[in-house]
Amino acid sequence: MTMERKFWEEEIETMSRPNLEKLQVERLKKTVEIAMGSKFYAPIFKERGITPESIRSVEDIRRFPFTTKNDLRSTYPFGIASVPLQKVVRLHSSSGTTGNPTVILHTKKDIDEWANAMARSMFATGLRDTDIIQNTSGYGMFTGGLGIQYAAERLGALTVPAAAGNSLRQFKFIQDFGTTALHCIPSYATRLATVFREQGVDPRDTTVTRMIIGAEPHSEAQRKRIEEIWGCKAYNNFGMSEMCGPGVAIECEEQNGMHIWEDNYIVEIVDPVTLEPVPEGELGELVLTTLNREAMPLFRYRTRDLTRFLPGDCPCGRTHRRLQRFQGRSDDMMIVRGVNIFPIQIEKILMQFSELASDFLIILETSEDNDNMTVQVELAKATDDFKLLENLKREITHRLKDEILMTPKVQLVGKGVIPQSDGKAVRVKDLRNNH
Ligand code: AMP
Ligand code: ZN
């Protein structure tokens, strides 16, 4: 009788902390050696006396300066490359709305390690080579397309590269091929469920048992809702183009935070203002150093994502530390009448109302020199019961006020009123005078 395999790479995934740190130091040395070929990093290393031999412990990471998205923009497109372009086989570009996009380069080995990290992540959620995995991400510059594709193939699953959009086609593929797992952004998971219902099929009756959701912030309440409407398990997956793409951190079957693959990254959480490490377990900005990349290693990259380390060991046996579901990005934080608010706080409340669908939009405006917030949210079912709507509105307003300490105006709108984006959901429209 063969024992069922519990890990994709048992030795690495369950490595003791001292051994994991030893591996990190080895890989950091190697990464410095590679990055000496970077026109961007070489002078920094010289100035700070950073050489592979001078790296002795993980603590040495603090000798490096932070790298920011601006550094990527100002060196656009190839200025950070550590290897000759001849060794580079692919580039991806990160989503960004202003200025130069950012470009991330990959060698053959980078692509290979990325596929492996994401395959490892899929395995941790219980996916196996017997699964039929349908990917609803765009196959282009967005890393959720090719990144998931290569990983699902590496896992040995049957892959359905359905790509983004065309929900009726997604519907047909799921039905015809007996898709067992979907990769989607959370906002699409709920939208696709609506299409199923419109076609007279309850998403719970499909063959889909697992979902990998990520690429945008979502609350625990949103995850629960997705699991409920699909009758499946949904696992939070964190990826970022600058680090490779999906495959940086994922929830295992315990669903208690995302294991971040520490053989591939040195992980720091810092105060975004002082840039000093926050006390263990406190909320701060995630800062990552790549340990297993060649074309464009990044040192102490400021992700802008806000999270914290979760305490304790995970019953799954993996030793890589767990990150809490992201609060959002520091650049998503709205300051409204002096109060710091994240869209996810609003989402968390809205998702508690079964009368509401999942699409919402926060509109910020200035009136009489004051900030005003309107929360538009779609109703799950149309109704003209005025009393019911008024009561619902009152209750939502009340609960929102408890959460964000200000009173927004709540507008209940019909399905399809809130504009939908092709990619990640747009949750905030800031029309204030000085924004
Ligand atoms: P991109 O490089 O365009 O894929 O965007 C990466 C960014 O997407 C991250 O820095 C996060 O802000 C966001 N993101 C990715 N995965 C998640 C996730 N699971 N939860 C919350 N935000 C995420
Ligand atoms: Zn675990």
Side-chain angles (χ1 to χ4, degrees):
M1 197 180 96
T2 50
M3 284 276 282
E4 206 202 326
R5 188 171 153 196
K6 277 178 68 190
F7 302 95
W8 181 249
E9 289 157 293
E10 180 161 3
E11 195 188 338
I12 291 232
E13 290 173 61
T14 61
M15 202 172 249
S16 69
R17 183 70 19 200
N19 284 346
L20 199 47
E21 286 191 5
K22 225 187 277 164
L23 180 65
Q24 288 184 317
V25 171
E26 242 170 65
R27 288 192 174 175
L28 180 59
K29 281 171 183 273
K30 177 91 201 217
T31 305
V32 168
E33 194 183 310
I34 295 171
M36 283 162 67
S38 157
K39 279 209 266 319
F40 176 79
Y41 280 118
I44 297 176
F45 290 174
K46 196 153 177 235
E47 191 193 316
R48 298 192 171 220
I50 296 171
T51 57
E53 306 72 50
S54 72
I55 307 283
R56 299 215 168 76
S57 79
V58 178
E59 290 301 307
D60 278 306
I61 200 63
R62 301 198 54 192
R63 293 165 54 206
F64 293 75
F66 291 94
T67 307
T68 64
K69 196 163 201 128
N70 268 343
D71 294 324
L72 266 62
R73 289 208 170 108
S74 63
T75 54
Y76 176 85
F78 305 138
I80 297 191
S82 288
V83 300
L85 282 188
Q86 185 195 3
K87 272 198 81 182
V88 176
V89 297
R90 194 196 300 166
L91 65 75
H92 276 279
S93 178
S94 173
S95 55
T97 42
T98 50
N100 269 341
T102 54
V103 160
I104 308 297
L105 306 172
H106 301 262
T107 63
K108 264 192 189 139
K109 178 167 179 290
D110 290 336
I111 300 276
D112 191 61
E113 295 285 355
W114 175 17
N116 184 60
M118 189 60 223
R120 184 201 288 175
S121 303
M122 286 174 167
F123 196 92
T125 68
L127 289 175
R128 296 293 181 265
D129 57 6
T130 43
D131 276 292
I132 301 179
I133 304 180
Q134 184 163 327
N135 186 14
T136 69
S137 287
Y139 279 63
M141 289 298 199
F142 179 46
T143 53
L146 289 169
I148 293 292
Q149 181 64 32
Y150 276 50
E153 287 177 13
R154 179 67 57 91
L155 182 70
L158 171 54
T159 62
V160 184
N166 204 337
S167 300
L168 280 176
R169 217 164 56 118
Q170 306 276 4
F171 168 80
K172 183 168 167 51
F173 288 164
I174 293 172
Q175 306 270 93
D176 294 355
F177 305 148
T179 300
T180 58
L182 284 177
H183 172 253
C184 326
I185 54 176
S187 49
Y188 190 65
T190 49
R191 216 178 295 158
L192 188 58
T194 310
V195 173
F196 270 77
R197 288 205 210 89
E198 282 164 5
Q199 298 303 309
V201 177
D202 183 342
R204 297 180 69 89
D205 295 337
T206 66
T207 41
V208 176
T209 56
R210 280 191 175 75
M211 232 183 244
I212 290 186
I213 53 173
E216 62 185 13
H218 55 288
S219 57
E220 184 62 37
Q222 165 84 319
R223 180 247 289 278
K224 291 247 164 68
R225 175 176 278 210
I226 291 171
E227 292 193 328
E228 217 175 277
I229 53 186
W230 281 92
C232 76
K233 286 280 174 197
Y235 300 92
N236 190 4
N237 182 36
F238 163 56
M240 170 174 230
S241 312
E242 292 91 318
M243 294 299 118
C244 60
V248 180
I250 196 153
E251 280 179 331
C252 66
E253 285 182 281
E254 303 289 332
Q255 293 187 309
N256 57 357
M258 298 182 283
H259 288 283
I260 181 152
W261 300 125
E262 292 183 83
D263 55 324
N264 290 338
Y265 306 98
I266 291 180
V267 188
E268 298 171 89
I269 297 184
V270 305
D271 179 319
V273 179
T274 64
L275 299 180
E276 288 299 315
V278 295
E280 184 71 24
E282 284 191 16
L283 189 74
E285 180 180 334
L286 182 69
V287 170
L288 297 174
T289 298
T290 64
L291 294 177
N292 210 7
R293 294 186 50 77
E294 291 181 332
M296 203 171 145
L298 294 173
F299 297 85
R300 302 192 92 190
Y301 187 69
R302 292 188 58 184
T303 65
R304 306 280 166 186
D305 291 312
L306 299 173
T307 182
R308 64 179 96 235
F309 284 123
L310 293 173
D313 297 331
C314 186
C316 78
R318 292 179 181 81
T319 50
H320 299 234
R321 279 180 296 180
R322 284 167 299 122
L323 300 176
Q324 188 183 46
R325 171 183 297 292
F326 292 178
Q327 175 82 27
R329 297 175 57 78
S330 54
D331 25 19
D332 289 344
M333 190 179 80
M334 306 171 274
I335 305 183
V336 187
R337 300 190 190 177
V339 183
N340 299 346
I341 302 170
F342 287 97
I344 201 171
Q345 289 178 275
I346 294 182
E347 185 204 87
K348 185 174 85 183
I349 301 299
L350 299 178
M351 290 305 121
Q352 292 164 5
F353 291 87
S354 59
E355 299 89 339
L356 301 177
S358 300
D359 281 316
F360 68 95
L361 181 67
I362 302 161
I363 303 164
L364 301 171
E365 286 160 306
T366 311
S367 95
E368 294 171 7
D369 284 342
N370 242 332
D371 291 342
N372 280 329
M373 181 192 284
T374 305
V375 176
Q376 269 187 356
V377 56
E378 292 185 359
L379 284 162
K381 270 201 205 96
T383 169
D384 44 18
D385 184 339
F386 185 73
K387 191 131 185 265
L388 185 139
L389 289 175
E390 277 309 299
N391 284 341
L392 183 60
K393 221 152 89 170
R394 196 167 325 118
E395 184 58 26
I396 297 169
T397 311
H398 176 72
R399 284 213 227 156
L400 281 174
K401 177 165 185 243
D402 279 351
E403 174 70 31
I404 61 175
L405 310 175
M406 67 170 286
T407 309
K409 190 167 150 200
V410 173
Q411 274 177 1
L412 302 175
V413 300
K415 271 226 150 296
V417 170
I418 293 173
Q420 297 182 341
S421 69
D422 274 345
K424 306 187 185 199
V426 177
R427 299 300 195 196
V428 184
K429 204 158 133 190
D430 198 341
L431 306 171
R432 288 177 293 180
N433 294 345
N434 45 9
H435 283 79

